[in-house]
Every structure is written in structure tokens, then in C-alpha cells.
């Protein structure tokens, strides 16, 4: 029986290859998408690099203060970014922020509406659940191969792979937030004559906003966790020195670039987190 199963192997890999071969017939479309993504990421990097690092750091500290009213958090942001500049990884950090920013933006722009639709249609979420599980558990290198074949080397396959890995977070947490709205709140809105759109905008989203924002923050962290993987397919950023240090067994470079990634992760996590005072006010 075992030998029969081995002899009658399902050609799943060949089927996927045939699909990729068909898609390659539209190479101009994928080249255009790759060029557009590269232009957007490089353009954002060049725009940020026009700002002197000290001015950017000061602006980040002011933004942190306005969002969180925490002097200690603002001081930490300044100290972390100054250390990155001192280590010589400022340009790589800006490249990483650009890639993460676009990846998170695409993930949230697609994930939040899908999560809202899934919360209103249980059958849709039942169909999405195994797909989301597969996207989060499938080894990254598996879908790096077709993205490289279709989009080539550079920022495009890195961004697309990052979106595939990160998008389940906003979908799941948006679904959870909208689905957890108490029926009594919905009934009260309907009693006052609210339409479905008004009910969504004025009742469901405000109640679910803390959970949705948690999904956005988690999405940003998942995008950042893909920095090193994206570097393997040619994306610029802090992942490149990590990969280079791994290849050369360069301990100082590996430690410093790894520390820069950690500092960026902490800063983004603290700054992008929805303030507690707003969380309480949104309930």
C-alpha cells in the first residue's frame, strides 16, 4: 500500500510550476509592478534622506510626545535613533522604514476591509481561516521562489513576501474586534434608525478600534521580522548587513546591525501603539 502511494504521487509541484509558467507569459505586467514598487520604495527612501538625521530624530521625538505625552518615551526614541546614526546604519534604517511602511500600508489597506467583511459573513471567515493559517505557517522560502521568478531581484519580491506573511494579522484582529461588538450596542443603533453603513462607522468600528489597532501594530512587527528574509532577495535595508555578516562570520557587523533592527522594532512598537488614553475614550 505504501509503495502504491509512492508510485502514484500527486504532481502538486508540477501543477504549481505550470501556473507560474502561465503567469510568466505576462512578464511585462509583473515587470511593471516590480518597477512601480521599486520606484515607490526608493522614492520614499530618497525623500527621507533629504532630511538631516538630527532633524528627523527631533521630529520623531516631537511626534512621540504628541501621541503619548511621555517624556521618557521621547528620550528613548532620541537615544535609539542617535545610536543607530552613530553605528553608521542610518541609510539602511531609512531603507528598512520605507519597505516596512509600504508593506504595512498594503497589508492594512487589504486586511482591515477583509476582516470587516468576514465579521459580517461567517461563511467567508470559515473559508479564509485555512488560507490564513497556511500563509502564517508556510515557510517563507516557499513563496519567495515564485515571487523571484515573477518579479526578479529587488524590493518587489521582498515587499510582496512581507505582505503575504503579515496580512493575516489585521484580518484576524479586525474580524475579532468587529465580531466582539455586543449585540445590545447594535440593537441600540438600529433602534435609532442607523443604516448598516452608519452602524459600522459609528458603533462597530469605534468599539473595535483598540483591537484593530493591535492588529496594525502586530502587522508592523511582522513586517519588520521579514527584513532579513527580504534582504536575501535583494531588498535594501538593515537585513543586508546581517546577511553579509552571516556570510563572512563578521561578529561586530552582525551584532551592530542586529541591534539596529531591535531598536527600530522597539521604537515602532512604542510609537505606533494606540495610546491608552484613546483606548479608554473609544470604549
Amino acid at each position: 500500500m505504501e509503495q502504491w502511494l509512492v508510485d502514484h504521487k500527486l504532481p502538486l509541484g508540477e501543477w504549481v510550476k505550470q501556473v507560474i509558467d502561465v503567469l510568466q507569459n505576462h512578464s511585462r505586467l509583473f515587470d511593471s509592478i516590480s518597477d512601480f514598487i521599486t520606484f515607490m520604495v526608493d522614492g520614499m527612501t530618497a525623500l527621507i534622506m533629504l532630511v538631516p538625521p538630527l532633524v528627523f530624530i527631533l521630529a520623531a521625538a516631537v511626534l512621540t510626545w504628541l501621541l503619548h505625552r511621555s517624556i521618557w518615551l521621547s528620550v528613548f526614541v532620541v537615544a535609539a535613533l542617535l545610536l543607530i546614526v552613530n553605528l553608521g546604519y542610518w541609510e539602511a534604517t531609512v531603507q528598512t522604514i520605507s519597505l516596512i511602511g509600504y508593506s504595512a500600508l498594503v497589508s492594512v489597506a487589504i486586511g482591515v476591509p477583509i476582516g470587516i467583511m468576514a465579521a459580517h459573513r461567517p461563511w467567508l471567515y470559515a473559508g479564509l481561516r485555512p488560507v490564513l493559517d497556511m500563509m502564517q505557517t508556510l515557510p517563507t522560502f516557499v513563496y519567495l521562489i515564485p515571487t523571484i521568478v515573477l518579479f526578479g531581484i529587488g524590493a518587489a519580491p521582498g515587499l510582496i513576501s512581507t505582505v503575504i506573511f503579515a496580512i493575516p494579522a489585521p484580518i484576524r484582529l479586525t474580524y475579532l474586534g468587529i465580531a466582539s461588538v455586543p449585540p445590545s450596542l447594535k440593537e441600540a443603533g438600529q433602534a435609532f434608525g442607523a443604516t448598516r453603513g452608519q452602524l459600522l462607522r459609528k458603533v462597530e468600528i469605534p468599539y473595535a478600534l483598540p483591537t484593530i489597532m493591535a492588529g496594525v501594530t502586530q502587522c508592523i512587527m511582522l513586517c519588520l521580522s521579514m527584513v532579513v528574509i527580504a534582504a536575501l532577495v535583494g531588498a535594501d535595508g538593515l537585513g543586508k548587513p546581517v546577511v553579509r555578516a552571516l556570510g563572512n562570520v563578521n561578529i561586530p557587523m552582525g551584532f551592530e546591525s542586529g541591534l539596529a533592527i531591535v531598536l527600530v522594532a522597539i521604537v515602532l512598537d512604542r510609537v505606533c501603539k494606540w495610546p491608552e488614553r484613546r483606548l479608554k475614550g473609544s470604549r
Side-chain angles (χ1 to χ4, degrees):
M1 183 64 179
E2 180 180 351
Q3 187 59 42
W4 183 85
L5 289 173
V6 172
D7 293 338
H8 294 79
K9 173 185 173 182
L10 291 175
L12 297 179
E14 289 299 323
W15 293 342
V16 173
K17 183 180 181 301
Q18 290 174 9
V19 172
I20 298 299
D21 290 340
V22 171
L23 293 176
Q24 279 188 291
N25 295 329
H26 303 84
S27 58
R28 290 185 179 180
L29 172 63
F30 293 105
D31 289 343
S32 300
I33 294 173
S34 179
D35 293 340
F36 176 74
I37 292 174
T38 302
F39 171 77
M40 295 297 291
V41 174
D42 291 347
M44 177 61 70
T45 300
L47 187 63
I48 297 176
M49 288 299 296
L50 291 176
V51 181
L54 295 181
V55 175
F56 183 92
I57 293 172
L58 179 60
V62 172
L63 177 62
T64 303
W65 166 255
L66 293 176
L67 288 175
H68 299 276
R69 302 294 181 180
S70 171
I71 186 64
W72 296 112
L73 182 57
S74 299
V75 170
F76 172 78
V77 169
V78 171
L81 295 180
L82 284 176
L83 179 57
I84 290 174
V85 174
N86 176 261
L87 294 175
Y89 290 104
W90 180 250
E91 184 175 358
T93 299
V94 172
Q95 293 168 341
T96 295
I97 291 174
S98 300
L99 183 62
I100 291 172
Y102 280 114
S103 301
L105 182 63
V106 172
S107 299
V108 171
I110 298 175
V112 171
I114 291 178
I116 292 174
M117 289 189 294
H120 291 134
R121 299 168 179 82
W123 60 267
L124 177 59
Y125 187 71
L128 282 175
R129 186 183 300 172
V131 178
L132 298 177
D133 291 341
M134 184 184 69
M135 291 168 68
Q136 288 187 306
T137 57
L138 192 68
T140 310
F141 292 99
V142 173
Y143 49 80
L144 275 180
I145 298 172
T147 53
I148 292 174
V149 172
L150 295 175
F151 297 97
I153 300 296
L159 186 145
I160 292 171
S161 300
T162 301
V163 169
I164 293 173
F165 181 71
I167 200 172
I171 294 177
R172 288 184 186 276
L173 286 172
T174 300
Y175 164 81
L176 179 63
I178 298 296
S180 64
V181 177
S184 57
L185 285 181
K186 298 180 183 180
E187 292 170 0
Q190 292 170 346
F192 283 98
T195 63
R196 293 183 61 180
Q198 291 173 331
L199 198 64
L200 175 64
R201 295 192 307 271
K202 298 183 179 181
V203 177
E204 294 178 334
I205 290 181
Y207 184 90
L209 191 58
T211 307
I212 294 174
M213 291 306 300
V216 172
T217 303
Q218 187 177 0
C219 176
I220 295 173
M221 292 298 101
L222 290 172
C223 290
L224 187 56
S225 70
M226 289 287 290
V227 166
V228 177
I229 301 298
L232 294 175
V233 294
D236 293 325
L238 290 170
K240 270 195 171 180
V242 174
V243 174
R244 195 179 303 122
L246 182 62
N248 299 331
V249 196
N250 190 329
I251 296 176
M253 180 187 291
F255 177 80
E256 291 174 355
S257 55
L259 178 62
I261 293 175
V262 171
L263 291 175
V264 171
I266 296 174
V267 168
L268 289 177
D269 178 62
R270 297 296 184 269
V271 173
C272 297
K273 186 174 292 183
W274 199 246
E276 290 293 331
R277 52 192 173 88
R278 295 188 184 181
L279 289 179
K280 294 176 183 178
S282 63
R283 290 291 186 180

